Amino acid sequence: MECDRCGDAVSAEEKREHLGRVLCEDCYMDVLSPSRTCDPWAIHSAKRLEDASGGATDLSTLQSDILRILEETGGVEPRDLAERLQLKPSDLEREIASLRHMEKLRGELREGRKFVVLW
């Protein structure tokens, strides 16, 4: 059996059903709790946490890699960034949302295409 969303193989134990679709556990979690880049409370919380830590922000290795790539390139389309980091788009979206809440990166339209750029 395979996930109707991502196409990965799904074992009977991991199988979840949502609105008539068979989903793997990861896709099921993404459907129930999608990433939101524009979340005022998350932004407020991230900024207060940064202030409380004296301006230091603990980033994961992946988040640091994302920021390094954006610094090197001046901005990149999300699908290209996902390919470069070998991530599923849903995993990249989650990381982008976290970095957006910390005001480390943002989205930008260039010639009608969406790019991820440094804040």
Side-chain angles (χ1 to χ4, degrees):
M1 177 177 321
E2 71 179 40
C3 176
D4 291 336
R5 187 166 183 233
C6 71
D8 286 351
V10 180
S11 67
E13 305 87 53
E14 287 189 14
K15 179 183 114 176
R16 303 287 185 263
E17 290 191 30
H18 184 269
L19 301 176
R21 297 173 67 197
V22 173
L23 302 175
C24 65
E25 200 167 21
D26 289 341
C27 288
Y28 184 69
M29 292 301 293
D30 288 341
V31 167
L32 293 182
S33 180
S35 300
R36 289 182 174 80
T37 55
C38 187
D39 183 342
W41 279 112
I43 294 167
H44 174 79
S45 297
K47 295 309 285 178
R48 296 300 71 78
L49 184 61
E50 184 177 24
D51 292 345
S53 67
T57 305
D58 289 333
L59 300 175
S60 70
T61 303
L62 179 56
Q63 291 170 338
S64 295
D65 289 345
I66 291 169
L67 295 178
R68 180 185 46 76
I69 290 168
L70 295 179
E71 189 173 341
E72 291 171 358
T73 62
V76 66
E77 289 184 86
R79 75 171 186 281
D80 294 336
L81 187 57
E83 287 175 14
R84 190 166 175 174
L85 295 167
Q86 299 177 348
L87 291 173
K88 293 192 306 189
S90 60
D91 293 338
L92 179 64
E93 286 174 21
R94 201 167 299 281
E95 296 300 328
I96 286 175
S98 295
L99 290 166
R100 169 61 182 90
H101 297 155
M102 291 183 262
E103 296 183 340
K104 301 290 183 191
L105 58 74
R106 62 186 175 83
E108 178 178 285
L109 282 178
R110 295 181 184 171
E111 299 175 11
R113 297 184 326 206
K114 185 168 76 169
F115 279 73
V116 180
V117 298
L118 292 175
W119 189 264

